[in-house]
Amino acid sequence: MDATTLETMRDALRGPVIGPGDQEYGRARTIYNAMIDRSPAAVVRCHDTADVMAAVDFVRGHGLDVAVRGGGHSGPGLCLVDDSVMLDLSGMRGVRVDPATQTAQADGGARLGDLDHATHAFGLATPAGIQSTTGVGGLTLGGGHGYLTRAYGLTVDNLVSADVVLADGTYVSANDTEHADLFWALRGGGGNFGIVTSFDFALHPVDTVGVAMTLWPLDLFRDVLRWYRDFLPQAPDELYGFFASLTVPPGPPFPEEIHGRKMCGVIWCSTADPAALGDTLAVVNEPGPPAFHFTSPMPYPALQQMFDPLLPTGLQWYWRGDFFDRITDDAVDVHADFAQRLPTGLSTMHLYPVDGAAGRVGPDDTAWSYRDARWSGVIAGIDPDPANAEALRQWATDYWDALHPHSMGGAYVNFIGAGESQERVRSTYRGHYDRLAEVKQAYDPLNLFHANHNIEPTPSH
């Protein structure tokens, strides 16, 4: 972008326009994953929906490339593209709760912590992730799962309306009655169809939840994972637990004797009576005695914030994912092998349940196409040192290559990693891909919004 165009953009927009020569540029282009280092032509910090509309008009009118940042948590860094204009919504973080209708409206740049803080004041919540620094926008548009998913479904199952700036700069509301085709596509189709400037969510009575953490030594790994795969799907929807391979962090609540040890474990959340969780989880001894078991009632936002200090902005990340409808004995062996080979102290593997309420939504009701999955898995190589970036990539890729034959073929779109093929996008949307391509043709025929796991526009027949 030449200097004249940059100045013209500054005149046209209300929010700050930050170019490579500005002092703030280095900080403005920083995102959560420090492995992504790219240089946009400009960063536009949008103040409001009008600013987003004007920015879209400008980039389209000047033939510029565009990327959109909400919370900036995109693993492959889809919000940060060389020589593009980044439309940064991070200043648009308001949340308004209507306790009478049990709904919340969150701006496009809000984070889960903003949403949880606002809704918790009314004893309400909606299913969304496991970390408060995650952006509401990216998580929701990919489908969204978290601690409340077995009880209340995916994030998109609780989306009741969205306000969207389209590729032609116009503004629409999408819901079951207005732009219903767009609303269907937004619920899992990623950022392909426009820029969502606000999301309306249905809320549920959630206040204090029962929280537990159970860790076992790696010599019990196979027994624990086989027990978990059988136990959780038949448990009541109110009980959620994601399985993890991990290195025990050096600090509370973990006793010093297990600090730094590689283990497997389950992080539990119950929306039933928190006092009853201890009795519910008496079964954790069945696969073998845990090295650590902790239970406590906890305000829901505190649970969402639990991993924030461990995973701040600025770490190196490389991840890959897949859906699973079963965990075969051969898959158990793969997991056990790679748990022994965790490359760094923060690297991990998680199996997130997506059954229960999420599994009872119709397979064609939303763009999310894996209602028959039971787990959404992610393999994440993580470390603060850039020198370890290649080791993280290699471990995650080797792990994924070994595990993928035991998967359902596609992944949660937010867990598709950098450099994966277009075929991975197609496999993620299964039979919904062609319908999504037709919606893309209707709302973004020139593919202005292509800095994403892209669905190419296709004329309908």
Side-chain angles (χ1 to χ4, degrees), residues 209-220:
V209 293
V211 175
M213 187 180 304
T214 314
L215 302 180
W216 293 265
L218 284 189
D219 58 7
L220 292 175

Side-chain angles (χ1 to χ4, degrees), residues 15 46 49 291 363 399 429:
C46 299
T49 298
Y399 194 163
Y429 292 115

Side-chain angles (χ1 to χ4, degrees), residues 327-348:
I327 301 171
T328 65
D329 286 345
D330 287 342
V332 170
D333 289 339
V334 172
H335 285 302
D337 179 27
F338 281 90
Q340 296 279 0
R341 293 194 259 162
L342 289 169
T344 60
L346 292 174
S347 296
T348 189

Side-chain angles (χ1 to χ4, degrees), residues 212-231:
M213 187 180 304
T214 314
L215 302 180
W216 293 265
L218 284 189
D219 58 7
L220 292 175
F221 189 104
R222 287 172 173 82
D223 293 334
V224 172
L225 185 49
R226 284 193 291 261
W227 167 80
Y228 167 83
R229 75 179 178 192
D230 296 332
F231 168 73

